[in-house]
Amino acid sequence: MTGAAILDAAARLEAGGLVAFPTETVYGLGADAENPAAVAAIYAAKGRPQDHPVIVHVAPGADLDYWAADVPDEARLLAGAFWPGPLTMIVKRHAHIPDAVSGGQDTVGLRCPSHPVAMALLAAFKGGKGGVAAPSANKFGNVSPTTAQHVRDEFGDEFGNGELTVLDGGASQVGIESTIVDLSRLATHGPVLLRPGHIGAAQIAAVIGALPAAPDDAAPRASGTLESHYAPKAPVAQAGTARLAGLVTTLSARGRRIALIHYTPLLSGAAAHQTLPADPAGYAQGLYAALRAMDTAGVELILVETPPQTDDWLGINDRLRRATHGSIGILSRFLA
Ligand code: TXA
Ligand code: MG
């Protein structure tokens, strides 16, 4: 990645174009947050509903008061502790931020990513004073991309060769999307954890002195919190470690083509399989690439070994629950 490529990409954003770029969590599909037509182009490319807000990415040291109204102390403390890094904060939107980025809500999601390419792009774009609106660079509902090739696999067709600028920053380190904490209703609801991620609720509590609560019915909408999301095309099901080997044997004996994603070393009779590290950080880093790889292995089912149900696996279990939601009941159908 050359400095010239980053300057070109920043110029493309300034001209209202789209640029896909790496972040430490997943790749984003970016546009100038202050250009409603550019933001509309992201929605069109993703096939995403217009009323779903996008996160605004800012450079280190960005002026929170430019983007947000009534910035609470909690937001400044969390930015100080975790930015640049995989934390998104939902705060009241400043009056001049276009409706388009917030899906008509009165809030805005802000994040300062730590990937060096993202930071260089944000520093070059509008002299470091701009905001880049960027959802994950995938079609609505699909698994998020963690490599530049994943982005090309998602959008290659409609942008045509070379049409979409994709900055290649290697594989994303964190591998699952940022933690989202809602600070827009502190007085009435306290902090709320809209999407779990690498930065855990306890780490947030250690900084602001209050543990973020689970979302209530009135919590801001987030597409990443839809029951079905982050899903491969093949059905996905989970099974506990003890049950897994037997299941693979039974299903394979019935002629089912199964792909297995597991973290305990198992003898696999599956048609395809992928082993992930047994620690949450390593597992998260490899999860989406594994789901994509297994999705292209021509199988009828991707079977995932259920991870431990402890706090440090919360973000991963959240994504797996959404990835499997559309396939509920598939195991009993296959075993019937
Ligand atoms: O790690 C990430 O957050 C990645 C990288 C590219 O930064 N971005 C990402 O964006 O995951 P996206 O759009 O795929 O997911 C962001 C989630 C969506 O569920 C969206 O609805 C929610 O954040 N969101 C954004 N702004 C919001 C707001 N003002 N209020 C409530 N939810 C918001
Ligand atoms: Mg997304």
Side-chain angles (χ1 to χ4, degrees):
M1 178 63 44
T2 63
I6 287 173
L7 291 180
D8 278 356
R12 197 171 251 245
L13 288 173
E14 286 167 9
L18 301 186
V19 170
F21 62 99
T23 84
E24 72 281 19
T25 58
V26 301
Y27 275 66
L29 182 62
D32 179 355
E34 295 176 277
N35 179 339
V39 175
I42 303 179
Y43 283 82
K46 276 187 66 94
R48 182 185 215 180
Q50 296 282 345
D51 64 346
H52 287 229
V54 282
I55 295 170
V56 176
H57 297 72
V58 296
D63 179 11
L64 283 179
D65 296 292
Y66 177 78
W67 298 100
D70 314 323
V71 178
D73 291 344
E74 285 83 348
R76 296 187 205 282
L77 288 169
L78 289 173
F82 298 116
W83 281 5
L87 179 73
T88 298
M89 305 189 293
I90 309 296
V91 287
K92 289 288 180 204
R93 165 166 66 115
H94 198 286
H96 68 82
I97 306 304
D99 258 3
V101 294
S102 64
Q105 305 188 48
D106 64 351
T107 55
V108 63
L110 296 175
R111 169 161 124 77
C112 172
S114 64
H115 192 291
V117 172
M119 288 200 289
L121 179 66
L122 289 162
F125 174 64
K126 292 185 172 176
K129 304 255 183 267
V132 173
S136 51
N138 54 273
K139 291 302 185 91
F140 183 67
N142 285 3
V143 176
S144 298
T146 55
T147 67
Q149 188 56 48
H150 293 166
V151 179
R152 293 186 204 105
D153 292 344
E154 288 282 320
F155 295 107
D157 299 349
E158 71 247 54
F159 282 95
N161 250 346
E163 278 293 309
L164 175 67
T165 302
V166 183
L167 295 177
D168 190 342
S172 296
Q173 286 281 312
V174 173
I176 59 171
E177 304 79 0
S178 60
T179 304
I180 304 181
V181 62
D182 176 25
L183 303 174
S184 70
R185 304 175 306 151
L186 284 173
T188 49
H189 294 77
V192 173
L193 189 69
L194 295 185
R195 182 171 70 185
H198 184 68
I199 294 174
Q203 283 172 278
I204 291 173
V207 173
I208 60 173
L211 192 68
D216 52 279
D217 286 346
R221 299 183 306 272
S223 46
T225 62
L226 290 176
E227 285 306 313
S228 178
H229 212 72
Y230 312 117
K233 292 178 183 59
V236 189
Q238 295 191 64
T241 310
R243 204 177 151 218
L244 209 56
L247 259 181
V248 172
T249 309
T250 308
L251 291 170
S252 304
R254 293 182 179 205
R256 295 291 192 179
R257 282 182 60 81
I258 307 291
L260 186 64
I261 296 177
H262 58 102
Y263 59 92
T264 38
L266 296 162
L267 272 185
S268 171
H273 82 116
Q274 193 97 28
T275 317
L276 290 173
D279 66 285
Y283 187 104
Q285 191 177 22
L287 175 61
Y288 288 163
L291 283 171
R292 280 175 182 270
M294 296 300 93
D295 207 15
T296 53
V299 295
E300 293 170 273
L301 176 69
I302 302 172
L303 194 55
V304 181
E305 178 181 12
T306 302
Q309 301 298 304
T310 49
D311 274 357
D312 46 348
W313 289 83
L314 193 63
I316 291 159
N317 282 309
D318 170 81
R319 303 311 188 277
L320 287 176
R321 192 163 48 76
R322 298 180 205 288
T324 55
H325 185 79
S327 333
I328 284 173
I330 186 131
L331 269 184
S332 8
R333 286 203 294 285
F334 276 16
L335 292 169

